[in-house]
Amino acid sequence: MKNKKVTSKTLSNTLRIKSVKEVINSLPTEIQGLVFEIKSRMRKLEGVEEKVMYDGLAKEEVPAFNLGKRQLFHLHIESEKHGQVIAGTVSINVKDFEPYLMDSHAVSQNLKKTIASQKVYRGTKWVFIPLNNLDEVGEFLDLIKLKYEFYKFGGE
């Protein structure tokens, strides 16, 4: 995929959106390994699309994974702000998905506590989860699989 030009209607600036491959290839080898594990697990989920989005808060291009128009999560890489090498950001809808999540045995109690402690913004919790090793990646992807199943097979 070639770079895409995105022009803002409100700004005269033109953003260059890199391909997913370009974003990942620019990372250190150890981080690439974690990202490849994430990508591998996402490929197993039917209908999940990988793309690059521009994160206005982080002011960077980041890999994102969507199920149709719904974003499952996006990644932040080498975030100096949070002191992490890689982290996942997942939105949790407090009216439908959060109750389902909290009742599930598929996600650890520690991760549930992290999610429960987040602030709600317009009916959604944006949860930032550090992904420093394969254990953390595995726990995060258990959450993502639960979200995927919820929205693929019955959630709003």
Side-chain angles (χ1 to χ4, degrees):
M1 177 178 158
K2 294 183 179 181
N3 287 348
K4 292 182 182 176
K5 274 188 175 181
V6 178
T7 305
S8 169
K9 292 180 180 177
T10 58
L11 299 173
S12 60
N13 298 346
T14 299
L15 301 174
R16 276 249 183 251
I17 302 296
K18 296 178 186 175
S19 70
V20 173
K21 185 176 181 180
E22 288 174 305
V23 171
I24 293 170
N25 286 342
S26 69
L27 303 172
T29 306
E30 60 276 4
I31 298 171
Q32 285 183 21
L34 295 174
V35 174
F36 287 136
E37 177 64 22
I38 292 166
K39 288 169 54 79
S40 173
R41 293 261 308 261
M42 290 299 98
R43 275 194 290 271
K44 295 176 184 176
L45 301 178
E46 182 184 335
V48 173
E49 181 183 9
E50 174 184 7
K51 55 176 68 175
V52 171
M53 64 171 254
Y54 182 78
D55 185 329
L57 292 174
K59 296 188 178 14
E60 63 186 357
E61 294 161 329
V62 298
F65 297 83
N66 292 16
L67 176 62
K69 292 182 180 182
R70 181 175 303 278
Q71 185 184 103
L72 295 174
F73 68 97
H74 62 271
L75 297 175
H76 293 275
I77 300 164
E78 297 186 288
S79 174
E80 292 176 23
K81 177 180 176 184
H82 297 285
Q84 304 298 328
V85 175
I86 186 171
T89 299
V90 59
S91 62
I92 307 289
N93 182 303
V94 298
K95 291 183 181 175
D96 63 4
F97 182 58
E98 186 176 27
Y100 178 79
L101 164 71
M102 292 304 176
D103 195 41
S104 171
H105 296 290
V107 178
S108 74
Q109 289 300 318
N110 186 45
L111 193 51
K112 287 179 184 180
K113 286 179 188 176
T114 299
I115 292 165
S117 70
Q118 300 301 304
K119 292 181 181 178
V120 178
Y121 178 74
R122 295 186 180 178
T124 301
K125 292 181 177 183
W126 288 91
V127 185
F128 184 88
I129 301 171
L131 305 172
N132 297 308
N133 56 55
L134 286 175
D135 289 339
E136 290 177 349
V137 166
E139 185 176 34
F140 175 73
L141 292 176
D142 289 343
L143 167 63
I144 299 307
K145 185 175 181 191
L146 187 67
K147 183 176 180 181
Y148 166 84
E149 290 170 348
F150 180 78
Y151 289 110
K152 176 96 174 164
F153 303 113
E156 296 296 317

